[in-house]
Amino acid sequence: MIVKMNEEKNGVELHFPAVPSQDVLDRLRADNAWRYHRLGKYWYAVRTPETVAFAEALEAGETPPAATGAAAHSRTAHRHDKPAFEMRY
């Protein structure tokens, strides 16, 4: 696995030579910070101390820290008190 720091976009990229293990995939999906780039075939996140620690732990072959959920606060949350659409007549 190769960890790249994307200076231009202030991000961290995880490039795997092959499909990672199911455990690694589950951890990446559980942490709301990581997204998969389908065209580039790599995982990426905004660079924070948590995402850098996660990437370094994976690169060292260690168990990465638990999901931080740091990116969950930066995204718009779904409101459950009203529907996602409105019907107008």
Side-chain angles (χ1 to χ4, degrees):
M1 181 188 83
I2 300 170
V3 176
K4 292 184 181 180
M5 298 296 169
N6 187 332
E7 299 295 331
E8 188 176 309
K9 295 186 178 183
N10 192 32
V12 180
E13 299 175 359
L14 303 177
H15 296 264
F16 293 93
V19 177
S21 69
Q22 190 61 42
D23 182 50
V24 171
L25 288 174
D26 290 342
R27 288 184 180 275
L28 286 167
R29 291 177 181 138
D31 192 338
N32 289 329
W34 296 96
R35 298 284 170 255
Y36 186 69
H37 192 283
R38 283 191 264 169
L39 295 176
K41 307 288 187 207
Y42 60 86
W43 289 84
Y44 65 95
V46 174
R47 187 177 351 170
T48 63
E50 292 84 13
T51 57
V52 171
F54 187 97
E56 288 174 348
L58 275 180
E59 188 175 36
E62 301 169 1
T63 302
T68 60
H73 300 293
S74 66
R75 283 195 230 130
T76 305
H78 293 287
R79 294 184 57 181
H80 297 288
D81 58 343
K82 71 176 194 175
F85 61 91
E86 292 183 28
M87 294 182 65
R88 296 185 183 173
Y89 299 99

Coordinates of all heavy atoms in Angstrom, one line a residue:
M1 N 0.8 -1.2 0.0 CA 0.0 0.0 0.0 C 0.9 1.2 0.0 O 1.9 1.3 0.7 CB -0.9 0.0 1.2 CG -1.8 1.2 1.3 SD -2.7 1.4 2.8 CE -1.5 2.2 3.8
I2 N 0.5 2.2 -0.7 CA 1.2 3.5 -0.8 C 0.3 4.6 -0.3 O -0.8 4.7 -0.7 CB 1.6 3.8 -2.3 CG1 2.5 2.7 -2.8 CG2 2.3 5.2 -2.4 CD1 2.8 2.8 -4.3
V3 N 0.9 5.4 0.6 CA 0.2 6.6 1.2 C 0.7 7.8 0.5 O 1.9 8.0 0.5 CB 0.3 6.7 2.7 CG1 -0.3 8.0 3.2 CG2 -0.2 5.5 3.4
K4 N -0.1 8.6 -0.1 CA 0.3 9.9 -0.8 C -0.4 11.0 -0.1 O -1.6 11.0 0.2 CB -0.1 9.9 -2.3 CG 0.7 8.9 -3.1 CD 0.4 9.0 -4.5 CE 1.1 8.0 -5.4 NZ 0.8 8.1 -6.8
M5 N 0.3 12.1 0.1 CA -0.2 13.3 0.6 C -0.5 14.2 -0.6 O 0.5 14.6 -1.3 CB 0.7 14.0 1.6 CG 1.0 13.2 2.8 SD -0.4 12.9 3.8 CE 0.1 11.7 4.9
N6 N -1.7 14.6 -0.8 CA -2.1 15.5 -1.9 C -2.1 16.9 -1.4 O -3.0 17.4 -0.8 CB -3.5 15.1 -2.4 CG -3.8 15.8 -3.7 OD1 -3.4 16.9 -4.0 ND2 -4.7 15.2 -4.5
E7 N -1.0 17.6 -1.7 CA -0.8 19.0 -1.2 C -1.8 19.9 -1.9 O -2.3 20.8 -1.2 CB 0.7 19.4 -1.5 CG 1.7 18.6 -0.9 CD 1.7 18.7 0.6 OE1 1.3 19.7 1.2 OE2 2.2 17.7 1.3
E8 N -2.1 19.7 -3.1 CA -3.0 20.5 -3.9 C -4.4 20.6 -3.3 O -5.0 21.6 -3.2 CB -3.0 20.1 -5.3 CG -3.8 21.0 -6.3 CD -3.7 20.5 -7.7 OE1 -2.6 20.3 -8.2 OE2 -4.8 20.4 -8.3
K9 N -4.9 19.4 -2.8 CA -6.2 19.3 -2.3 C -6.3 19.1 -0.8 O -7.3 18.8 -0.3 CB -7.0 18.2 -3.0 CG -7.2 18.4 -4.5 CD -8.0 17.4 -5.1 CE -8.2 17.8 -6.6 NZ -9.1 16.8 -7.3
N10 N -5.1 19.2 -0.1 CA -5.0 19.0 1.3 C -5.6 17.6 1.7 O -6.5 17.6 2.6 CB -5.7 20.1 2.1 CG -5.3 20.1 3.5 OD1 -4.3 19.6 3.9 ND2 -6.3 20.5 4.4
G11 N -5.2 16.6 1.0 CA -5.8 15.3 1.2 C -4.8 14.2 1.5 O -3.6 14.4 1.3
V12 N -5.3 13.0 1.8 CA -4.5 11.8 2.0 C -5.1 10.8 1.0 O -6.3 10.6 1.0 CB -4.6 11.3 3.5 CG1 -3.8 10.0 3.6 CG2 -4.2 12.3 4.4
E13 N -4.2 10.1 0.3 CA -4.7 9.1 -0.6 C -4.1 7.7 -0.3 O -2.9 7.7 0.1 CB -4.3 9.4 -2.1 CG -4.9 10.7 -2.5 CD -4.4 11.1 -3.9 OE1 -3.5 10.4 -4.5 OE2 -4.8 12.2 -4.4
L14 N -4.9 6.7 -0.3 CA -4.4 5.3 -0.1 C -4.5 4.5 -1.4 O -5.6 4.3 -1.9 CB -5.2 4.6 1.0 CG -5.3 5.3 2.3 CD1 -6.3 4.6 3.2 CD2 -4.0 5.5 3.0
H15 N -3.3 4.1 -1.9 CA -3.3 3.4 -3.2 C -2.9 1.9 -2.8 O -1.8 1.7 -2.3 CB -2.3 4.0 -4.1 CG -2.6 5.4 -4.6 ND1 -3.3 5.6 -5.7 CD2 -2.4 6.6 -4.0 CE1 -3.5 6.9 -5.9 NE2 -3.0 7.5 -4.8
F16 N -3.8 1.0 -3.2 CA -3.5 -0.4 -2.9 C -3.2 -1.1 -4.2 O -3.8 -0.9 -5.2 CB -4.8 -1.1 -2.3 CG -5.1 -0.6 -1.0 CD1 -6.0 0.5 -0.8 CD2 -4.6 -1.2 0.2 CE1 -6.4 0.9 0.5 CE2 -4.9 -0.7 1.4 CZ -5.8 0.3 1.6
P17 N -2.1 -2.0 -4.2 CA -1.8 -2.7 -5.4 C -2.8 -3.7 -5.9 O -2.9 -4.1 -7.0 CB -0.5 -3.4 -5.1 CG -0.5 -3.5 -3.6 CD -1.3 -2.3 -3.1
A18 N -3.6 -4.2 -4.9 CA -4.7 -5.2 -5.2 C -5.8 -4.8 -4.2 O -5.7 -3.9 -3.4 CB -4.2 -6.6 -4.9
V19 N -6.9 -5.5 -4.4 CA -8.1 -5.3 -3.5 C -7.7 -5.5 -2.0 O -7.1 -6.6 -1.7 CB -9.3 -6.2 -3.9 CG1 -10.4 -5.9 -2.9 CG2 -9.7 -5.9 -5.3
P20 N -7.9 -4.6 -1.1 CA -7.5 -4.8 0.3 C -8.4 -5.8 0.9 O -9.5 -6.2 0.4 CB -7.7 -3.4 0.9 CG -8.4 -2.6 -0.1 CD -8.4 -3.2 -1.4
S21 N -8.0 -6.3 2.1 CA -8.8 -7.3 2.8 C -10.1 -6.8 3.2 O -10.3 -5.5 3.3 CB -8.0 -7.8 4.0 OG -7.9 -6.7 5.0
Q22 N -11.0 -7.6 3.5 CA -12.4 -7.2 3.9 C -12.3 -6.4 5.2 O -13.1 -5.5 5.3 CB -13.3 -8.4 4.1 CG -14.8 -8.1 4.2 CD -15.3 -7.4 3.0 OE1 -15.1 -7.7 1.9 NE2 -16.1 -6.3 3.3
D23 N -11.4 -6.7 6.1 CA -11.3 -6.0 7.3 C -10.9 -4.5 7.1 O -11.5 -3.6 7.6 CB -10.3 -6.7 8.3 CG -10.1 -5.9 9.6 OD1 -11.2 -5.7 10.2 OD2 -9.0 -5.6 10.0
V24 N -9.9 -4.3 6.2 CA -9.5 -3.0 5.8 C -10.6 -2.2 5.1 O -10.9 -1.1 5.4 CB -8.3 -3.0 4.9 CG1 -7.9 -1.6 4.4 CG2 -7.1 -3.6 5.7
L25 N -11.3 -2.9 4.2 CA -12.5 -2.2 3.5 C -13.6 -1.8 4.5 O -14.1 -0.7 4.4 CB -13.0 -3.2 2.5 CG -12.2 -3.4 1.2 CD1 -12.8 -4.4 0.3 CD2 -12.0 -2.1 0.5
D26 N -13.8 -2.7 5.5 CA -14.9 -2.4 6.5 C -14.5 -1.2 7.3 O -15.3 -0.3 7.6 CB -15.1 -3.6 7.4 CG -15.8 -4.7 6.7 OD1 -16.4 -4.5 5.6 OD2 -15.7 -5.9 7.2
R27 N -13.2 -1.1 7.7 CA -12.7 0.1 8.5 C -12.8 1.3 7.6 O -13.1 2.4 8.2 CB -11.3 -0.2 9.0 CG -11.3 -1.2 10.1 CD -9.8 -1.3 10.6 NE -9.8 -2.3 11.7 CZ -10.0 -2.1 12.9 NH1 -10.4 -0.9 13.3 NH2 -10.0 -3.0 13.8
L28 N -12.4 1.3 6.4 CA -12.5 2.5 5.5 C -13.9 2.9 5.4 O -14.2 4.1 5.4 CB -11.9 2.2 4.2 CG -10.4 2.1 4.1 CD1 -9.9 1.5 2.8 CD2 -9.7 3.5 4.3
R29 N -14.8 2.0 5.2 CA -16.2 2.3 5.0 C -16.9 2.8 6.3 O -17.8 3.7 6.3 CB -17.0 1.1 4.5 CG -16.6 0.8 3.0 CD -17.3 -0.4 2.6 NE -16.9 -0.7 1.2 CZ -16.7 -2.0 0.8 NH1 -16.8 -3.0 1.6 NH2 -16.3 -2.2 -0.5
A30 N -16.4 2.3 7.4 CA -17.0 2.7 8.7 C -16.6 4.1 9.1 O -17.4 4.8 9.8 CB -16.6 1.7 9.8
D31 N -15.4 4.5 8.7 CA -15.0 5.9 9.0 C -15.5 6.8 8.0 O -15.2 6.7 6.8 CB -13.4 5.9 9.0 CG -12.9 7.2 9.6 OD1 -13.6 8.2 9.7 OD2 -11.7 7.2 10.1
N32 N -16.3 7.8 8.4 CA -17.0 8.7 7.4 C -16.1 9.6 6.7 O -16.5 10.3 5.7 CB -18.0 9.5 8.1 CG -19.2 8.7 8.5 OD1 -19.6 7.7 7.9 ND2 -19.8 9.1 9.7
A33 N -14.8 9.6 7.0 CA -13.8 10.5 6.4 C -13.4 10.0 5.0 O -13.0 10.8 4.1 CB -12.6 10.7 7.3
W34 N -13.4 8.7 4.8 CA -12.8 8.1 3.6 C -13.8 7.9 2.5 O -14.9 7.4 2.7 CB -12.1 6.7 3.9 CG -11.0 6.9 4.8 CD1 -11.0 6.8 6.2 CD2 -9.7 7.3 4.5 NE1 -9.7 7.1 6.7 CE2 -8.9 7.4 5.7 CE3 -9.0 7.6 3.3 CZ2 -7.6 7.8 5.7 CZ3 -7.7 8.0 3.3 CH2 -7.0 8.1 4.5
R35 N -13.4 8.2 1.2 CA -14.2 8.0 0.0 C -13.4 7.3 -1.0 O -12.1 7.4 -1.0 CB -14.6 9.3 -0.6 CG -15.5 10.2 0.3 CD -16.9 9.6 0.3 NE -17.7 10.2 1.3 CZ -18.1 9.6 2.5 NH1 -17.7 8.4 2.7 NH2 -18.9 10.2 3.3
Y36 N -14.0 6.6 -1.9 CA -13.3 5.8 -2.9 C -13.4 6.6 -4.3 O -14.5 7.0 -4.7 CB -13.9 4.4 -3.1 CG -13.2 3.5 -4.1 CD1 -11.9 3.1 -3.8 CD2 -13.7 3.2 -5.3 CE1 -11.2 2.3 -4.6 CE2 -13.0 2.4 -6.2 CZ -11.7 2.0 -5.8 OH -11.0 1.2 -6.7
H37 N -12.3 6.7 -4.9 CA -12.2 7.4 -6.2 C -12.3 6.3 -7.3 O -11.3 5.6 -7.5 CB -10.9 8.2 -6.3 CG -10.9 9.1 -7.5 ND1 -10.7 8.7 -8.8 CD2 -11.1 10.5 -7.5 CE1 -10.7 9.8 -9.6 NE2 -11.0 10.8 -8.9
R38 N -13.4 6.2 -8.0 CA -13.6 5.1 -8.9 C -12.7 5.2 -10.1 O -12.2 4.1 -10.6 CB -15.1 5.0 -9.4 CG -16.0 4.4 -8.3 CD -17.3 4.1 -8.9 NE -18.2 5.2 -8.6 CZ -19.4 5.4 -9.1 NH1 -19.8 4.6 -10.0 NH2 -20.1 6.4 -8.8
L39 N -12.5 6.3 -10.6 CA -11.6 6.5 -11.8 C -10.1 6.2 -11.5 O -9.4 5.6 -12.2 CB -11.8 7.9 -12.5 CG -13.2 8.1 -13.0 CD1 -13.2 9.6 -13.6 CD2 -13.5 7.2 -14.2
G40 N -9.7 6.8 -10.4 CA -8.3 6.7 -9.9 C -8.0 5.4 -9.2 O -6.8 5.0 -9.0
K41 N -9.0 4.7 -8.7 CA -8.9 3.4 -8.0 C -8.1 3.6 -6.7 O -7.2 2.8 -6.4 CB -8.3 2.3 -8.9 CG -8.9 2.1 -10.2 CD -10.2 1.4 -10.0 CE -10.8 1.1 -11.4 NZ -12.2 1.0 -11.4
Y42 N -8.4 4.6 -5.9 CA -7.8 4.8 -4.6 C -8.8 5.4 -3.6 O -9.8 5.9 -4.0 CB -6.6 5.7 -4.8 CG -6.8 7.1 -5.3 CD1 -7.2 8.1 -4.4 CD2 -6.7 7.4 -6.6 CE1 -7.5 9.4 -4.9 CE2 -7.0 8.7 -7.1 CZ -7.4 9.7 -6.2 OH -7.6 10.9 -6.7
W43 N -8.5 5.3 -2.3 CA -9.3 5.9 -1.3 C -8.6 7.2 -0.9 O -7.4 7.3 -0.9 CB -9.3 4.9 -0.1 CG -10.1 3.7 -0.3 CD1 -9.6 2.5 -0.9 CD2 -11.4 3.5 0.1 NE1 -10.7 1.6 -0.9 CE2 -11.8 2.2 -0.4 CE3 -12.4 4.3 0.7 CZ2 -13.0 1.6 -0.2 CZ3 -13.7 3.7 0.9 CH2 -14.0 2.4 0.5
Y44 N -9.5 8.2 -0.5 CA -9.0 9.5 -0.2 C -9.8 10.1 0.9 O -10.9 9.7 1.2 CB -9.0 10.4 -1.4 CG -10.4 10.7 -1.9 CD1 -11.0 11.9 -1.5 CD2 -11.0 9.9 -2.8 CE1 -12.3 12.2 -2.0 CE2 -12.3 10.2 -3.3 CZ -12.9 11.3 -2.9 OH -14.2 11.6 -3.3
A45 N -9.2 11.1 1.6 CA -9.8 11.8 2.7 C -9.2 13.1 2.9 O -8.0 13.3 2.4 CB -9.8 11.0 4.0
V46 N -9.8 14.1 3.5 CA -9.2 15.3 3.9 C -8.1 15.1 4.9 O -8.3 14.3 5.8 CB -10.3 16.3 4.4 CG1 -9.7 17.6 4.9 CG2 -11.3 16.6 3.4
R47 N -7.0 15.8 4.8 CA -5.9 15.5 5.7 C -6.2 16.2 7.1 O -6.3 17.4 7.2 CB -4.6 16.1 5.1 CG -3.4 15.7 6.0 CD -2.1 16.2 5.4 NE -2.2 16.8 4.1 CZ -1.2 17.4 3.5 NH1 -0.1 17.6 4.1 NH2 -1.4 17.9 2.3
T48 N -6.3 15.3 8.0 CA -6.5 15.7 9.4 C -5.5 14.8 10.2 O -5.0 13.8 9.7 CB -7.9 15.5 10.0 OG1 -8.2 14.1 9.9 CG2 -8.9 16.3 9.1
P49 N -5.3 15.1 11.5 CA -4.4 14.3 12.3 C -5.0 12.8 12.4 O -4.2 11.9 12.4 CB -4.4 14.9 13.7 CG -4.6 16.4 13.4 CD -5.6 16.4 12.2
E50 N -6.3 12.7 12.4 CA -6.9 11.4 12.5 C -6.7 10.6 11.2 O -6.4 9.4 11.3 CB -8.4 11.5 12.8 CG -8.7 12.1 14.2 CD -8.7 13.6 14.3 OE1 -8.6 14.3 13.2 OE2 -8.6 14.1 15.4
T51 N -7.0 11.2 10.1 CA -6.8 10.5 8.8 C -5.4 10.1 8.5 O -5.1 9.0 8.0 CB -7.4 11.2 7.6 OG1 -6.8 12.5 7.5 CG2 -8.9 11.4 7.8
V52 N -4.4 11.0 8.9 CA -3.0 10.7 8.7 C -2.6 9.5 9.6 O -1.9 8.6 9.2 CB -2.1 11.9 9.0 CG1 -0.7 11.6 9.0 CG2 -2.4 13.0 7.9
A53 N -3.1 9.5 10.9 CA -2.8 8.4 11.8 C -3.4 7.1 11.3 O -2.7 6.0 11.4 CB -3.4 8.7 13.2
F54 N -4.6 7.2 10.7 CA -5.2 6.0 10.2 C -4.4 5.4 9.0 O -4.1 4.2 9.0 CB -6.6 6.4 9.7 CG -7.5 5.2 9.2 CD1 -8.4 4.7 10.0 CD2 -7.4 4.8 7.9 CE1 -9.2 3.6 9.6 CE2 -8.2 3.7 7.5 CZ -9.1 3.1 8.3
A55 N -4.0 6.3 8.1 CA -3.2 5.9 6.9 C -1.8 5.3 7.4 O -1.4 4.3 6.8 CB -3.0 7.1 6.0
E56 N -1.2 6.0 8.3 CA 0.1 5.5 8.8 C 0.0 4.1 9.5 O 0.9 3.3 9.3 CB 0.8 6.5 9.7 CG 1.2 7.8 9.0 CD 1.7 8.9 9.9 OE1 1.5 8.8 11.1 OE2 2.3 9.8 9.4
A57 N -1.1 3.9 10.2 CA -1.2 2.6 10.9 C -1.5 1.5 9.8 O -0.9 0.4 9.9 CB -2.4 2.7 11.8
L58 N -2.3 1.8 8.8 CA -2.5 0.8 7.7 C -1.1 0.5 7.0 O -0.8 -0.6 6.7 CB -3.5 1.3 6.7 CG -4.9 1.1 7.0 CD1 -5.8 1.7 5.9 CD2 -5.3 -0.3 7.2
E59 N -0.4 1.6 6.7 CA 0.9 1.4 6.0 C 1.9 0.6 6.8 O 2.6 -0.2 6.3 CB 1.5 2.8 5.7 CG 2.7 2.7 4.8 CD 3.2 4.1 4.4 OE1 3.1 5.0 5.2 OE2 3.6 4.2 3.3
A60 N 1.9 0.7 8.1 CA 2.8 0.0 9.0 C 2.3 -1.4 9.3 O 3.0 -2.2 9.9 CB 2.9 0.7 10.3
G61 N 1.1 -1.8 8.8 CA 0.5 -3.1 9.0 C -0.1 -3.3 10.4 O -0.4 -4.4 10.8
E62 N -0.4 -2.2 11.0 CA -1.1 -2.2 12.3 C -2.6 -2.0 12.2 O -3.0 -1.7 11.1 CB -0.5 -1.1 13.2 CG 1.0 -1.1 13.4 CD 1.5 0.1 14.1 OE1 0.7 1.1 14.4 OE2 2.7 0.2 14.3
T63 N -3.3 -2.2 13.3 CA -4.7 -2.0 13.2 C -5.0 -0.5 13.4 O -4.5 0.1 14.3 CB -5.4 -2.7 14.4 OG1 -5.1 -4.1 14.3 CG2 -6.9 -2.5 14.4
P64 N -5.7 0.1 12.4 CA -5.9 1.5 12.5 C -6.8 1.9 13.6 O -7.6 1.0 14.1 CB -6.5 1.9 11.1 CG -6.9 0.6 10.5 CD -6.2 -0.5 11.2
P65 N -6.7 3.1 14.1 CA -7.6 3.5 15.2 C -9.1 3.5 14.7 O -9.4 3.4 13.5 CB -7.2 5.0 15.4 CG -6.3 5.4 14.4 CD -5.9 4.2 13.6
A66 N -10.0 3.4 15.7 CA -11.4 3.4 15.4 C -11.9 4.6 14.6 O -11.2 5.6 14.6 CB -12.2 3.3 16.7
A67 N -13.0 4.4 14.0 CA -13.6 5.5 13.1 C -13.8 6.7 14.0 O -14.3 6.7 15.1 CB -14.9 5.0 12.5
T68 N -13.4 7.8 13.4 CA -13.5 9.1 14.1 C -14.8 9.8 13.8 O -15.3 10.5 14.7 CB -12.3 10.1 13.7 OG1 -12.4 10.3 12.3 CG2 -11.0 9.5 14.1
G69 N -15.3 9.6 12.6 CA -16.5 10.3 12.2 C -16.3 11.8 12.1 O -17.3 12.6 12.1
A70 N -15.1 12.2 11.9 CA -14.8 13.7 11.8 C -15.4 14.3 10.6 O -15.9 15.4 10.7 CB -13.3 13.9 11.7
A71 N -15.5 13.6 9.5 CA -16.1 14.2 8.3 C -17.6 14.2 8.4 O -18.2 14.9 7.6 CB -15.6 13.4 7.1
A72 N -18.2 13.5 9.3 CA -19.6 13.4 9.4 C -20.2 14.8 9.7 O -21.3 15.2 9.3 CB -20.1 12.4 10.4
H73 N -19.4 15.6 10.5 CA -19.9 16.9 10.9 C -19.8 17.9 9.7 O -20.5 18.9 9.7 CB -19.1 17.4 12.1 CG -19.2 16.5 13.2 ND1 -20.4 16.4 13.9 CD2 -18.3 15.7 13.9 CE1 -20.2 15.5 14.9 NE2 -19.0 15.1 14.9
S74 N -18.9 17.7 8.8 CA -18.7 18.6 7.7 C -19.8 18.4 6.6 O -19.9 19.3 5.7 CB -17.3 18.5 7.1 OG -17.2 17.2 6.5
R75 N -20.5 17.3 6.6 CA -21.5 17.1 5.5 C -22.8 17.5 6.1 O -23.1 17.4 7.2 CB -21.5 15.6 5.1 CG -20.3 15.3 4.2 CD -20.5 14.0 3.6 NE -19.3 13.3 3.8 CZ -19.2 12.1 4.2 NH1 -20.3 11.4 4.5 NH2 -18.1 11.5 4.4
T76 N -23.7 17.7 5.1 CA -25.1 18.1 5.5 C -25.8 16.8 6.0 O -25.8 15.8 5.3 CB -25.9 18.6 4.3 OG1 -25.1 19.7 3.8 CG2 -27.3 19.0 4.7
A77 N -26.4 16.9 7.1 CA -27.1 15.8 7.7 C -28.5 15.7 7.1 O -29.1 16.7 6.8 CB -27.2 15.9 9.2
H78 N -29.0 14.5 7.0 CA -30.4 14.3 6.5 C -31.4 14.7 7.6 O -31.2 14.2 8.7 CB -30.7 12.9 6.0 CG -29.9 12.5 4.8 ND1 -30.2 13.0 3.6 CD2 -28.8 11.7 4.7 CE1 -29.3 12.5 2.7 NE2 -28.4 11.8 3.4
R79 N -32.4 15.4 7.3 CA -33.4 15.8 8.2 C -34.5 14.8 8.1 O -35.0 14.6 7.1 CB -33.9 17.2 8.0 CG -32.8 18.2 8.2 CD -33.3 19.6 8.1 NE -34.4 19.8 9.0 CZ -35.1 20.9 9.1 NH1 -34.8 21.9 8.3 NH2 -36.1 21.0 9.9
H80 N -34.9 14.2 9.3 CA -35.9 13.2 9.3 C -37.3 13.8 9.6 O -38.3 13.1 9.5 CB -35.6 12.1 10.3 CG -34.3 11.4 9.9 ND1 -34.3 10.5 8.8 CD2 -33.1 11.4 10.4 CE1 -33.0 10.0 8.7 NE2 -32.3 10.5 9.6
D81 N -37.4 15.1 9.9 CA -38.6 15.7 10.3 C -39.5 16.1 9.1 O -40.6 16.4 9.2 CB -38.4 16.8 11.3 CG -37.6 17.9 10.7 OD1 -36.9 17.6 9.7 OD2 -37.6 19.0 11.2
K82 N -38.9 16.1 7.9 CA -39.7 16.4 6.7 C -39.1 15.6 5.6 O -38.0 15.2 5.6 CB -39.7 17.9 6.4 CG -38.3 18.5 5.9 CD -38.5 19.9 5.6 CE -37.3 20.4 4.8 NZ -37.5 21.8 4.3
P83 N -40.0 15.4 4.5 CA -39.5 14.6 3.4 C -38.4 15.3 2.6 O -38.3 16.5 2.7 CB -40.8 14.4 2.6 CG -41.7 15.5 3.0 CD -41.3 15.8 4.4
A84 N -37.7 14.5 1.9 CA -36.6 15.0 1.1 C -37.1 15.8 -0.2 O -36.4 16.4 -0.9 CB -35.7 13.9 0.6
F85 N -38.4 15.7 -0.4 CA -39.0 16.4 -1.6 C -40.3 16.9 -1.2 O -40.9 16.6 -0.1 CB -39.2 15.4 -2.7 CG -40.1 14.2 -2.4 CD1 -41.5 14.3 -2.6 CD2 -39.6 13.1 -1.8 CE1 -42.3 13.3 -2.3 CE2 -40.5 12.0 -1.4 CZ -41.8 12.2 -1.7
E86 N -40.8 17.9 -1.9 CA -42.1 18.4 -1.7 C -43.0 18.3 -2.9 O -42.5 18.5 -4.0 CB -42.0 19.9 -1.3 CG -41.3 20.2 0.0 CD -41.3 21.7 0.3 OE1 -42.2 22.4 -0.2 OE2 -40.4 22.1 1.0
M87 N -44.2 17.9 -2.7 CA -45.1 17.8 -3.8 C -45.9 19.1 -3.9 O -46.5 19.5 -2.9 CB -46.1 16.6 -3.7 CG -45.3 15.2 -3.7 SD -46.4 13.8 -3.5 CE -47.4 14.0 -5.0
R88 N -45.9 19.6 -5.1 CA -46.7 20.9 -5.3 C -47.7 20.6 -6.4 O -47.5 20.0 -7.4 CB -45.8 22.0 -5.7 CG -44.8 22.3 -4.6 CD -44.0 23.5 -5.0 NE -43.0 23.7 -4.0 CZ -42.0 24.6 -4.0 NH1 -41.9 25.3 -5.1 NH2 -41.2 24.7 -3.0
Y89 N -48.9 21.1 -6.1 CA -50.0 20.9 -7.0 C -50.4 22.1 -7.8 O -50.3 23.2 -7.4 CB -51.3 20.4 -6.3 CG -51.0 19.1 -5.6 CD1 -50.7 19.0 -4.2 CD2 -51.1 17.9 -6.3 CE1 -50.5 17.9 -3.6 CE2 -50.9 16.7 -5.6 CZ -50.6 16.7 -4.3 OH -50.4 15.5 -3.6

